[in-house]
Amino acid sequence: MLFPSGWVINRLNVHIWWFLRQNTPLPPAMTPEQLAEVWNVVMFVPLGLGLALILPRWWWAGVLCGLSITIELLQFFVLSTRHPDIGDVVMNTAGGVLGVVVGALITRWCEKRSNQSIDSPHA
């Protein structure tokens, strides 16, 4: 995400981490920084999934990697309150790829079910 400032996002992440530590079985060794990496993955999964369901193509993973790189470059060149990180690109891309894979699996499953119902003598 481009806005708000990195400090605000970091503070929010720490508050969420603290809440999760108190109210869920969050692994004791998980740090706020690791939770931020999880958010980077989670943020791109729905995007990859949605794109793969709308137009099933594997190259969406590359498009999402390019989008992540673009976001980090904007942070570097345009936003003085944000700090780009190659780890963010990796985690965003991983989330996008995961979404694309799930979308491809759902599409394949739906196509198989559709073909089975067409070929079924009971249809």
Side-chain angles (χ1 to χ4, degrees):
M1 302 211 8
L2 298 175
F3 293 102
S5 75
W7 186 88
V8 171
I9 292 172
N10 184 44
R11 297 301 347 137
L12 177 61
N13 185 58
V14 170
H15 287 296
I16 293 169
W17 172 82
W18 183 252
F19 174 81
L20 292 174
R21 291 284 299 208
Q22 301 301 311
N23 299 296
T24 69
L26 191 68
M30 181 173 258
T31 66
E33 292 79 13
Q34 291 168 327
L35 184 61
E37 291 174 2
V38 170
W39 296 137
N40 278 327
V41 172
V42 169
M43 180 174 55
F44 269 65
V45 169
L47 188 55
L49 176 62
L51 291 171
L53 290 175
I54 291 169
L55 180 63
R57 298 289 184 264
W58 286 102
W59 48 260
W60 283 124
V63 170
L64 293 173
C65 179
L67 175 63
S68 181
I69 290 169
T70 301
I71 290 169
E72 296 303 312
L73 288 173
L74 284 170
Q75 289 178 3
F76 182 75
F77 289 112
V78 178
L79 301 171
S80 62
T81 61
R82 299 299 306 270
H83 303 286
D85 184 357
I86 190 69
D88 289 351
V89 172
V90 171
M91 292 306 196
N92 292 346
T93 301
V97 168
L98 181 60
V100 169
V101 167
V102 170
L105 291 173
I106 290 171
T107 301
R108 184 173 294 158
W109 180 75
C110 289
E111 287 172 353
K112 276 186 175 182
R113 285 188 49 94
S114 176
N115 289 339
Q116 286 174 352
S117 66
I118 290 172
D119 296 336
S120 173
H122 303 291

